[in-house]
Amino acid sequence: MPPAPEAARPPAAPDDPVERAAIAAALARGATRGRLLEILLEVRDAKGGSGISEPGLRAVADRLGLFPSEAYEVATAFPAVNYATARPYATGERCGDLVCALLHGAGGTGVCRNRCDGERPQPAPRGFAAYRAAGGYAMAGRLMADPAAAAEVLGRIDAHQAVGRAGVGFPVAEKWRQVMAAEGTPVVIVNGDEGELAIFKDRFILENEPHGVIEAALVAARTVGADRVFLYVRDDYAPIHAILRRALEEVAAAGLAEGLALELRRSGGAFICGEETALIASLEGRPARPAERPPFPTARGYLGRPTLLHNVETFYRITAAWGGAPGAPAAALLHPETRLHSVSGRVRAPGPKPVRRLARLADLVEIAGGMAEGHALGGMVIGGSSGTLVTADDCRRPLAELLAAGLRLGTGGAIVLGAADDPRAVAARMAAYLARESCGQCGPCRVGTAKAAQALAGAGALDRPLLDDLATVMGEASLCALGRNAGRFLGRLSTLADPTP
């Protein structure tokens, strides 16, 4: 839908009265470009899941002062918008991604959206009063009364040796200091998009302890001098949206958000939004495409302002630096030696598993209720869509040995495979996921992930020289971590056996 000359444009008014009313209501809540994705999602919701029409998209573009092509770019960049698609983002029962394919076959589409960890009870989050009674919001209140306490907060985080939990492990206090040293008024973003394959740790935290995450964001905002906080959460985490909206209302009613704008935003179903600059682009009303760094978001992020961005787990864990609020199921994570593993696949009781001092990867199977009936341990995928295929024998070795040899746990995902599962088919499905989720902006990732998926899915011997070349090019030349990690994933497939002739 290229930009049309003014004289050639049809009137920007959709025929559907439901859509017209939905657009008017969404724009009334904020007619800014930064809300473009949220506006499109609100219209979709009002239409029962059907995406906005072309006339509706033109109407939104006109109101926001955008070319139609700019609105079209955003509408088509995010699958959750459901614009002009015959395969809606969230209908049906199965997603067909790796775990779903292992358990149910490859044909499903739908709402599990690569979580596939079985039926779960209704969320029972700890409410505002209970959280406060356990000591919550004490530090947030103290910073409101005494801004000079920010130095103490940083000292406590330093002493706690808090690190980011997105897989890189960058020191939290250092990131905060970078934001404080930059020019401009900072912004704080809580990343709850959690688009990684078979990862559901942030969901577990938000379903149980939303106020712990919000308190950490408030403390961060007051420490670095921010005036705005975004909570950016997966679109299909609908129960969590309701939990967070109520929690934010409670915080505002208690006067704890004075001087801060707190806003819940939904992601659009694009895995690339796990990358900081792509996430920021979506909050600005642009397609989710990574930006070259430097400058880093800590210096120039949202609308050019210094931006502090952590994922949900990182924010929640740093409350331990000033005491936290013990008592909820998620509070086990406040211990620095506890790691939260998302266990799925061929186990009896998949789900989030907080574990302290994990000795072997195989122990996760017992923690998850043992192997499913009729299956023996065949190995694991560790670390998500660009993770590592670990053999059954290695799963039984001391974890310390595997880590010393270079294994990365990433965000804690563990997909348990059965002995009858074909490792090459697993690798092919992982590669296909990466190819689907590439934003397409840079050639090494766009072309490399597609070629890797094709090579792994084919019959006959693996083309190892091709895979090695792809691993090198993607690992060294991709713009962002998706492509670079995809290259590392291919590089770790050297032990993958060729199929038997």
Side-chain angles (χ1 to χ4, degrees):
M1 192 174 71
E6 285 295 328
R9 279 195 196 180
D15 296 329
D16 181 0
V18 173
E19 183 172 279
R20 285 201 303 272
I23 291 171
L27 290 169
R29 285 186 281 271
T32 64
R33 178 172 187 162
R35 288 195 74 250
L36 177 55
L37 174 57
E38 185 64 27
I39 289 167
L40 298 178
L41 294 174
E42 289 176 9
V43 173
R44 179 212 62 188
D45 291 345
K47 294 179 65 179
S50 176
I52 194 170
S53 67
E54 181 177 336
L57 189 61
R58 286 183 177 273
V60 171
D62 282 350
R63 179 66 183 275
L64 300 182
L66 303 174
F67 283 106
S69 57
E70 292 178 290
Y72 177 82
E73 262 198 314
V74 172
T76 54
F78 297 97
V81 171
N82 284 347
Y83 181 74
T85 178
R87 181 178 175 179
Y89 172 79
T91 60
E93 297 178 352
R94 297 172 184 168
C95 67
D97 283 325
L98 176 56
V99 178
C100 195
L102 284 174
L103 301 181
H104 307 296
T109 63
V111 297
C112 51
R113 296 302 303 173
N114 69 55
R115 294 303 167 273
C116 308
D117 59 326
E119 294 295 326
R120 306 190 311 278
Q122 282 294 108
R126 180 157 61 169
F128 179 76
Y131 181 76
R132 252 194 140 163
Y137 289 114
M139 183 57 77
R142 183 175 169 196
L143 280 167
M144 285 187 66
D146 179 17
E152 179 186 336
V153 170
L154 281 171
R156 286 176 178 246
I157 293 173
D158 265 332
H160 193 67
Q161 297 183 326
V163 297
R165 296 285 173 164
V168 178
F170 191 79
V172 168
E174 174 60 24
K175 195 170 190 178
W176 291 25
R177 289 190 176 99
Q178 289 179 7
V179 171
M180 295 167 73
E183 294 184 6
T185 302
V187 173
V188 170
I189 301 174
V190 180
N191 180 7
D193 182 47
E194 195 163 55
E196 182 57 273
L197 184 68
I199 304 293
F200 31 83
K201 63 186 182 63
D202 290 346
R203 185 196 68 198
F204 168 72
I205 294 168
L206 291 172
E207 286 179 340
N208 285 280
E209 197 76 306
H211 284 287
V213 178
I214 293 171
E215 180 187 12
L218 292 177
V219 168
R222 298 203 185 280
T223 299
V224 303
D227 64 356
R228 189 166 193 177
V229 175
F230 288 107
L231 283 82
Y232 187 89
V233 180
R234 278 182 69 95
D235 169 66
D236 49 309
Y237 280 178
I240 291 174
H241 304 157
I243 289 169
L244 287 174
R245 288 190 181 100
R246 179 174 180 180
L248 291 172
E249 290 170 359
E250 292 170 330
V251 167
L256 289 166
E258 184 178 336
L260 294 173
L262 306 182
E263 188 173 356
L264 173 63
R265 291 280 190 87
R266 292 176 290 174
S267 70
F271 170 54
I272 194 64
C273 283
E275 200 277 340
E276 292 182 336
T277 60
L279 186 160
I280 289 168
S282 75
L283 283 175
E284 294 175 341
R286 298 186 287 114
R289 294 181 185 138
E292 292 206 41
R293 298 186 283 183
F296 291 91
T298 50
R300 186 176 176 83
Y302 175 76
L303 298 179
R305 297 162 60 177
T307 300
L308 176 65
L309 192 153
H310 293 303
N311 68 8
V312 164
E313 184 182 1
T314 301
F315 271 112
Y316 179 61
R317 281 181 177 271
I318 61 176
T319 63
W322 54 84
L333 301 179
L334 300 181
H335 192 285
E337 292 183 355
T338 298
R339 188 170 189 108
L340 183 53
H341 295 272
S342 301
V343 185
S344 58
R346 306 253 188 224
V347 290
R348 295 178 186 270
K353 310 295 180 183
V355 183
R356 190 182 300 184
R357 300 190 188 99
L358 182 68
R360 307 176 307 158
L361 291 175
D363 294 340
L364 290 174
V365 174
E366 299 309 311
I367 292 167
M371 294 295 296
E373 185 175 355
H375 292 278
L377 178 63
M380 294 186 189
V381 175
I382 298 297
S385 56
S386 54
T388 303
L389 276 80
V390 182
T391 67
D393 287 342
D394 281 345
C395 288
R396 298 184 182 100
R397 289 172 56 195
L399 178 57
E401 290 183 9
L402 302 182
L403 295 175
L407 177 69
R408 296 182 179 184
L409 296 180
T411 50
I415 302 173
V416 179
L417 308 176
D421 293 321
D422 178 7
R424 177 168 173 176
V426 169
R429 192 162 289 275
M430 293 167 67
Y433 180 81
L434 291 167
R436 186 188 78 198
E437 295 296 337
S438 170
C439 76
Q441 182 176 199
C442 73
C445 180
R446 179 182 66 250
V447 178
T449 53
K451 283 187 172 293
Q454 184 179 24
L456 287 166
L462 287 172
D463 188 342
R464 294 193 181 278
L466 172 64
L467 292 177
D468 290 343
D469 286 347
L470 291 172
T472 299
V473 172
M474 284 195 289
E476 295 183 1
S478 294
L479 179 62
C480 82
L482 190 155
R484 293 193 295 270
N485 288 339
R488 282 190 282 269
F489 159 68
L490 291 180
R492 290 189 293 260
L493 292 180
S494 59
T495 59
L496 188 63
D498 289 326
T500 303

